[in-house]
Amino acid sequence: MNDDLRETREALADAITRFARSEIAPNATAWDEAGEFPRQLYRRAGELGFLGIGYPEELGGTPASLALKLPVWVALARHGASGGVLASLFSHNIGLPPVIAHGSPALQREVVPAVLRGEKISALAITEPGGGSDVAQLRTTARRDGDHYVVDGEKTFITSGMRADWFTVAVRTDLSSKGAGGISMLLVPGDAPGVRRTKLAKMGWHCSDTAQLHFDGVRVPAHHLLGSEGAGFRIIMGNFNGERFGLAAAALGFAQACLDEALAWARQRKTFGAALVEHQVLRHKLVDMQMRISSTEAWLEQVAAQGDALAAQGRADAPEWVAQVCLLKNHATQTMQFCADAAVQILGGMGYMRGTVSERIYREVKVMMIGGGAEEIMKELAARQLGW
Ligand SMILES: Cc1cc2nc3c(=O)[nH]c(=O)nc-3n(C[C@H](O)[C@H](O)[C@H](O)COP(=O)(O)OP(=O)(O)OC[C@H]3O[C@@H](n4cnc5c(N)ncnc54)[C@H](O)[C@@H]3O)c2cc1C
C-alpha cells in the first residue's frame, strides 16, 4: 500500500469514527428500542459525503477502491456498533450498484444524486417468501405492456423496505422460463400505485425497517429495466460480491466492538481480589478473540488488494476472487459470533442486559451469517468457483 493511500485511509477512518461515535453510538440503544432511527441521519451522512463513497463523481459521489472502502465499514461497525443503523443507512450500497452499472444515464441522474445526498432511500429486493438462496426460482413477474412492465408478486426480509423510495427488484420477465435465464432487474418507484409494505419484527437490527413487499399490478416504465431482459441473474450475482465483502468488513468491526467492551470491563471488574483480565482463563478468552480478529483483518486486506488488482484488469468477478469473498464472509461472521459470545460471557450478567454493545451484537450475529448469502450457500459457491 502506498503512502498516499495509507494517509487517505487514515483520514477517512478518523472522520467516520467521529461520526459513528458522536451520531450513532450514543443513540443506538434508544433507536433499537424505538424500532427506527431518524430519517435526518441519511441527510447528515449525505452532507458529510459518507453515502457517496465508491460512487462516480458526476453523480455526486467519491470513487473509492475496496482498499479505501474497507476501513470505512470497519470503523462504522466498530464505533457505531449498530447493525440496524448500518444496514438501513447504507442499503443503497446493495440497491444502487445495478443502477450504476446497467441503468441509462438519464435514469442514473434521476435516481442516484438524491440518494447520495440522503434525500431518497434505495433498497434491493431479491428474496421472496418462497425462498432466498435459490434465486433462480423467484416468482415475481414483470409482464411487458406497451412501454411499461406490470409487476406482480412478493418480496420479503427487505432492508429499508418500509422507507425506500426506490426498489431494485429481481423479476421474471420470461414467463415461460423457470430458471435463471428468465430473470431481469427492474427499478421500481416506492410510490407507484400497487406497492404495499408490511413491517417485520426481528431478533436484532430492531431499528432497521425490514419489510415484506407486495406488488399488485404495479406499472413501471420500461426504461427502468436495468441491463437487458434475461441478464438479471448475472447482475444479481455480481452485486452479491460487493455486499458480501462489505458484510465481512462490518463483521470485523462488530467483533472489535465486542473485544473493546469486554477488555474495558475485564480491566475494571474485580472478582476474588483481582481484575477479571488477571484471571488466566478470561485473559486467554480475550486473546482468542484478538487472534480471530487479526486473521480476519489480514484476510480482508488481502482480498481487498486482490479485488482492486483484478478490477484494474477488467476481471472484477474472477472466480478465484469470488471464492475468496465467500470464504471470507464465513470466516469474518464466525469471528463476530465467537467474539460476541465471548464478550457476553466476560461481561457476565451485565452482558445479558439491554444497553451493552455485546448484548446487541450477540443478537445481530445470525443475520450476518444468513443475509447476503447464507453460510452453506457460501461454501457451495466457493467450492464451485474453485472448480471442486
Ligand atoms: C434482517 C434481514 C435483512 C435482509 N435484507 C434483505 C434485502 O435487503 N434484500 C433481499 O433481497 N434479501 C434480504 N434478506 C434475505 C436474505 O438474503 C435471505 O434470508 C438469505 O439469502 C437466505 O434465504 P432464505 O431466508 O430464504 O433461506 P432459504 O433459502 O430458505 O434457506 C434456509 C437455510 O437452508 C440452507 N440451504 C438452502 N439451500 C441449501 C443447500 N442446497 N445446501 C445446504 N443448505 C442449504 C440455507 O443456507 C439456510 O441456512 C434479509 C434477511 C434478513 C434476515
Side-chain angles (χ1 to χ4, degrees), residues 4-24:
D4 274 358
L5 178 58
R6 196 184 312 278
E7 273 176 32
T8 313
R9 275 170 53 123
E10 280 171 16
L12 197 52
D14 278 355
I16 290 278
T17 299
R18 280 197 302 278
F19 169 73
R21 282 189 177 153
S22 62
E23 311 216 17
I24 301 177

Side-chain angles (χ1 to χ4, degrees), residues 287-297 331 335 338-339:
V287 167
D288 285 341
M289 293 165 83
Q290 182 60 61
M291 181 181 75
R292 286 165 170 82
I293 285 171
S294 296
S295 67
T296 305
E297 199 167 24
H331 182 69
T335 294
F338 180 89
C339 290

